[in-house]
Short mmCIF file of all heavy atoms in Angstrom, two decimals:
data_model
loop_
_atom_site.label_atom_id
_atom_site.label_comp_id
_atom_site.label_asym_id
_atom_site.label_seq_id
_atom_site.Cartn_x
_atom_site.Cartn_y
_atom_site.Cartn_z
N LYS B 72 -14.65 14.97 11.94
CA LYS B 72 -14.94 14.45 10.61
C LYS B 72 -15.93 13.23 10.76
O LYS B 72 -16.83 13.01 9.95
CB LYS B 72 -13.65 13.93 9.91
CG LYS B 72 -12.81 15.04 9.35
CD LYS B 72 -11.62 14.50 8.60
CE LYS B 72 -10.72 15.56 8.12
NZ LYS B 72 -9.52 15.04 7.54
N LEU B 73 -15.68 12.40 11.80
CA LEU B 73 -16.55 11.29 12.05
C LEU B 73 -17.98 11.78 12.34
O LEU B 73 -18.93 11.27 11.77
CB LEU B 73 -16.02 10.42 13.22
CG LEU B 73 -16.91 9.28 13.68
CD1 LEU B 73 -17.08 8.24 12.55
CD2 LEU B 73 -16.42 8.64 14.93
N ALA B 74 -18.09 12.82 13.19
CA ALA B 74 -19.36 13.34 13.59
C ALA B 74 -20.09 13.85 12.30
O ALA B 74 -21.31 13.56 12.10
CB ALA B 74 -19.27 14.44 14.59
N ARG B 75 -19.30 14.51 11.42
CA ARG B 75 -19.91 15.03 10.25
C ARG B 75 -20.41 13.85 9.36
O ARG B 75 -21.53 13.94 8.87
CB ARG B 75 -18.89 15.88 9.49
CG ARG B 75 -19.46 16.96 8.63
CD ARG B 75 -18.52 18.08 8.32
NE ARG B 75 -17.18 17.63 7.94
CZ ARG B 75 -16.06 18.17 8.44
NH1 ARG B 75 -16.16 19.12 9.35
NH2 ARG B 75 -14.88 17.72 8.14
N ALA B 76 -19.57 12.88 9.24
CA ALA B 76 -19.96 11.72 8.33
C ALA B 76 -21.14 10.98 8.86
O ALA B 76 -22.01 10.49 8.13
CB ALA B 76 -18.73 10.81 8.20
N ALA B 77 -21.25 10.89 10.24
CA ALA B 77 -22.30 10.13 10.84
C ALA B 77 -23.53 10.98 11.16
O ALA B 77 -24.50 10.45 11.72
CB ALA B 77 -21.72 9.51 12.12
N GLY B 78 -23.49 12.27 10.87
CA GLY B 78 -24.67 13.14 11.12
C GLY B 78 -24.87 13.32 12.63
O GLY B 78 -26.00 13.43 13.13
N LEU B 79 -23.78 13.29 13.39
CA LEU B 79 -23.87 13.46 14.86
C LEU B 79 -23.43 14.83 15.22
O LEU B 79 -22.68 15.46 14.47
CB LEU B 79 -23.01 12.47 15.58
CG LEU B 79 -23.30 10.94 15.36
CD1 LEU B 79 -22.17 10.09 15.91
CD2 LEU B 79 -24.61 10.64 16.08
N ARG B 80 -23.95 15.33 16.32
CA ARG B 80 -23.49 16.67 16.73
C ARG B 80 -22.03 16.64 17.14
O ARG B 80 -21.29 17.55 16.89
CB ARG B 80 -24.39 17.12 17.90
CG ARG B 80 -24.39 18.65 18.11
CD ARG B 80 -25.51 19.05 19.09
NE ARG B 80 -25.43 18.36 20.37
CZ ARG B 80 -24.62 18.65 21.31
NH1 ARG B 80 -23.78 19.68 21.20
NH2 ARG B 80 -24.55 18.00 22.48
N LYS B 81 -21.65 15.58 17.82
CA LYS B 81 -20.25 15.39 18.17
C LYS B 81 -19.97 13.89 18.33
O LYS B 81 -20.95 13.13 18.43
CB LYS B 81 -19.89 16.15 19.44
CG LYS B 81 -20.69 15.68 20.66
CD LYS B 81 -20.13 16.29 21.90
CE LYS B 81 -20.76 15.62 23.13
NZ LYS B 81 -20.16 15.90 24.38
N ALA B 82 -18.77 13.53 18.37
CA ALA B 82 -18.39 12.15 18.59
C ALA B 82 -17.25 12.07 19.55
O ALA B 82 -16.36 12.96 19.53
CB ALA B 82 -18.06 11.44 17.26
N GLU B 83 -17.22 11.05 20.39
CA GLU B 83 -16.08 10.92 21.33
C GLU B 83 -15.88 9.42 21.60
O GLU B 83 -16.77 8.60 21.33
CB GLU B 83 -16.24 11.66 22.65
CG GLU B 83 -17.53 11.30 23.37
CD GLU B 83 -17.84 12.27 24.50
OE1 GLU B 83 -17.28 13.38 24.59
OE2 GLU B 83 -18.66 11.81 25.41
N MET B 84 -14.73 9.07 22.12
CA MET B 84 -14.51 7.66 22.44
C MET B 84 -15.39 7.20 23.52
O MET B 84 -15.68 7.96 24.49
CB MET B 84 -13.03 7.47 22.87
CG MET B 84 -12.02 7.62 21.82
SD MET B 84 -12.13 6.36 20.49
CE MET B 84 -11.42 4.96 21.37
#
Side-chain angles (χ1 to χ4, degrees):
Chain B
K72 286 183 182 174
L73 173 65
R75 208 159 41 228
L79 298 169
R80 201 168 54 80
K81 61 169 190 168
E83 58 190 18
M84 289 296 285

